[in-house]
Amino acid sequence: MAEFIAWVLVLAIAAYACAGGTDYGAGFWDLLAGGAERGKRPRWLIDHAMAPVWEANNVWLIFVLVIMWTGFPTVFQAVFSALWLPLALAAVGLVLRGAGFALRKPTRRLAQRRIYGAMFAVSSLVTPFFLGAVLGGIASGRVKVGTTASADAWANGTSVLVGLLAIAATAFLGAVFLCSDALRFGAHDLVDYFRVRALIAFGAVVVLALIALPVTHDDARYVWDGLTGGLGLLLIILAAVCGLATVLLLLRRSHGWTRYTSVASVALTVGAWGCAQRPYALPTSLTVADAAGAAHTLRWLLIVTAIAIVLVGPALVVLYRLDTMGELEELTDSDTGAVRTAGDNL
């Protein structure tokens, strides 16, 4: 039962990496869109593409936290004790990001929009980086039961590379999704704009992955061995195939399946990490079985999780489906033309 719940936790992390990661990627491109005039159309597209789903995507993060502290309280305590600083910075980023995104849209004054937009965009880099740094600290075996907080637990080679990979992967997802969003909103000039950025982001992922090879070999050997053999290697190969398929589809300007292949590449990578850590929750000091809570707690967690999947899962599927079909919100002609509103020049 403990191993099954651990896999549910991995699946929830993968869901958040894909759903929340796409939103972080949109924020990344918002940051690099340019000044007020140059970046107006990309930012309008980002606002309208994210608006229906960005709050729902954070459900996966809550799901991860609930499973972790209920099913594996020892892991929860160890991680939050040793890595409280990057987790706190990620949480601050989450709050500022949501506030910036929610407040900049109704704001009419250009100066205030810039402030809120900067909060949203910068936090979209800060949060995935520190969440990736936390995963890197865990994967490298620096987090153990009783480990005190220190910079070495998250400011090491593996953590930094995983944090940068998280930013690059989210940028890749965000650009791929925005290509499709540009098509469905009729902003055809932005399709190639984000297509080029998706290809650049994928190149960054490949470069960072190659740099990470020797670093993880020396610094996270147990996870390295799991990723280079058995099921972990198979999932990594499948992730690479899905990533290359996304690139090929982008080059052919065939955007129908790019969302699915890009999501599959990220989700399979998270799954490979889960396989590589087996049987450990904290390599190489704490197994999943030893970290699990009481048997009756796990049983209730399993029941509640099943109920949540039955009740919430279909609703999220319908929400995502309606969003991708463009049924929830449309860009008007004024939006796509980025018409200046009263007060924008103040």
Side-chain angles (χ1 to χ4, degrees), residues 28-53:
F28 178 88
W29 298 118
D30 187 287
L31 181 65
L32 300 183
E37 290 300 322
R38 181 182 166 209
K40 184 174 288 187
R41 282 178 61 76
R43 290 190 177 105
W44 272 107
L45 178 62
I46 289 167
D47 281 346
H48 285 74
M50 284 183 56
V53 297

Side-chain angles (χ1 to χ4, degrees), residues 67-86:
I67 293 178
M68 191 174 176
W69 81 52
T70 306
F72 306 98
T74 306
V75 176
F76 185 86
Q77 180 184 17
V79 170
F80 276 76
S81 296
L83 300 168
W84 68 267
L85 181 56

Side-chain angles (χ1 to χ4, degrees), residues 13-28:
I13 293 172
Y16 184 64
C18 295
T22 301
D23 290 346
Y24 292 131
F28 178 88

Side-chain angles (χ1 to χ4, degrees), residues 47-320:
D47 281 346
H48 285 74
M50 284 183 56
V53 297
W54 71 277
E55 290 177 298
N57 288 335
N58 288 320
V59 168
W60 298 111
L61 180 59
I62 298 170
F63 195 41
V64 168
L65 293 175
V66 170
I67 293 178
M68 191 174 176
W69 81 52
T70 306
F72 306 98
T74 306
V75 176
F76 185 86
Q77 180 184 17
V79 170
F80 276 76
S81 296
L83 300 168
W84 68 267
L85 181 56
L87 287 168
L89 293 173
V92 170
L94 275 170
V95 173
L96 293 179
R97 179 176 173 275
F101 183 74
L103 293 174
R104 81 167 178 178
K105 193 170 184 179
T107 300
R108 297 303 180 188
R109 291 184 177 275
L110 181 58
Q112 292 178 341
R113 278 171 130 181
R114 283 175 171 167
I115 293 173
Y116 293 135
M119 286 170 53
F120 163 66
V122 173
S123 297
S124 295
L125 271 70
V126 169
T127 301
F129 174 81
F130 284 115
L131 290 177
V134 167
L135 289 180
I138 295 171
S140 61
R142 287 179 167 84
V143 179
K144 298 178 174 63
V145 176
T147 300
T148 57
S150 67
D152 180 65
W154 59 276
N156 55 78
T158 300
S159 291
V160 171
L161 279 171
V162 175
L164 293 175
L165 273 169
I167 293 175
T170 58
F172 173 60
L173 283 174
V176 169
F177 272 62
L178 286 167
C179 283
S180 298
D181 290 326
L183 279 173
R184 68 185 174 93
F185 285 137
H188 298 287
D189 59 308
L190 293 178
V191 176
D192 281 345
Y193 175 92
F194 284 110
R195 185 176 69 90
V196 171
R197 281 154 179 77
L199 296 173
I200 293 172
F202 182 78
V205 170
V206 172
V207 170
L208 288 169
L210 292 175
I211 295 173
L213 290 176
V215 174
T216 54
H217 178 271
D218 297 332
D219 196 44
R221 188 56 184 265
Y222 186 85
V223 172
W224 160 270
D225 290 338
L227 291 174
T228 55
L231 185 57
L233 177 60
L234 176 61
L235 293 180
I236 285 293
I237 292 173
L238 291 175
V241 170
C242 289
L244 291 173
T246 306
V247 169
L248 179 61
L249 290 170
L250 289 171
L251 291 174
R252 292 169 59 89
R253 290 179 170 81
S254 178
H255 300 284
W257 286 90
T258 53
R259 289 188 174 194
Y260 302 105
T261 53
S262 61
V263 164
S265 66
V266 174
L268 287 167
T269 301
V270 175
W273 161 72
C275 288
Q277 285 203 179
R278 289 185 308 169
Y280 292 103
L282 297 175
T284 53
S285 61
L286 185 67
T287 65
V288 169
D290 292 336
H296 67 277
T297 302
L298 294 180
R299 282 194 295 270
W300 277 108
L301 179 61
L302 191 60
I303 293 170
V304 172
T305 299
I307 294 173
I309 291 174
V310 171
L311 294 179
V312 179
L316 287 174
V317 170
V318 171
L319 175 66
Y320 292 145

